[in-house]
Amino acid sequence: MTDFQRNATSRRQFLKTSGTMLAMIPVVNLLGCADDSPPPAPQPARPAPPAQQPPAAAPAQPSPAAAMPKLEESDATARALGYVHDANDVDASQQPRFQDGQLCENCALYTPDSSDEADWGGCSIFPGKLVNAKGWCNAWVAKR
Ligand code: SF4
């Protein structure tokens, strides 16, 4: 082998080796980064969410009837129908339909109330108002 041939072979070998090494650089970098990177720092613990408060107790609901105001005898509709809180106060000469024994509590339009206002109840003639169980008005209707 001549010197020229030896040099040519050596040059080819050098270029081949250099090219291989250059090609390996990115791979080594990737592997190196993956291996040498420090482990991630532990994350600080999240603060605990505030303890759940039990739902506040709902305020006691008054019964619908208890929440209603009492009908006033001076109410315009009450006066027009001759309503009175006490059927004993009915002026029979002014209220020809009235008969003894007719009371709100035995009227078909009366709704008894089980709240504290036991002597008062609802009436479909006076929505939103309480009428007295012992009262009466000209719209009295017998229960069937
Ligand atoms: Fe009383 Fe009946 Fe008159 Fe209502 S309609 S006020 S319950 S008598």
Side-chain angles (χ1 to χ4, degrees):
M1 181 180 289
T2 66
D3 282 346
F4 177 76
Q5 287 175 328
R6 224 178 286 130
N7 284 342
T9 303
S10 175
R11 206 174 327 152
R12 256 186 252 121
Q13 187 67 36
F14 171 77
L15 291 174
K16 189 176 175 183
T17 306
S18 302
T20 304
M21 291 184 74
L22 284 173
M24 293 290 291
I25 288 173
V27 175
V28 170
N29 278 343
L30 285 174
L31 293 174
C33 288
D35 292 340
D36 293 342
S37 61
Q43 296 293 320
R46 286 186 179 181
Q52 292 245 336
Q53 297 291 328
Q61 294 291 322
S63 72
M68 291 193 296
K70 294 174 181 175
L71 176 66
E72 298 288 338
E73 289 182 354
S74 60
D75 177 275
T77 307
R79 286 179 29 181
L81 291 173
Y83 170 81
V84 288
H85 293 315
D86 185 346
N88 292 324
D89 295 340
V90 174
D91 182 352
S93 66
Q94 299 293 315
Q95 303 294 346
R97 287 194 69 236
F98 176 74
Q99 294 180 1
D100 281 340
Q102 294 179 346
L103 301 167
C104 287
E105 67 185 0
N106 59 26
C107 172
L109 305 179
Y110 182 77
T111 305
D113 179 39
S114 58
S115 72
D116 292 341
E117 301 289 352
D119 293 337
W120 295 77
C123 169
S124 56
I125 297 292
F126 302 102
K129 301 280 178 70
L130 293 173
V131 297
N132 194 296
K134 303 298 181 195
W136 180 89
C137 88
N138 221 346
W140 184 91
V141 179
K143 287 184 179 178
R144 294 180 182 230

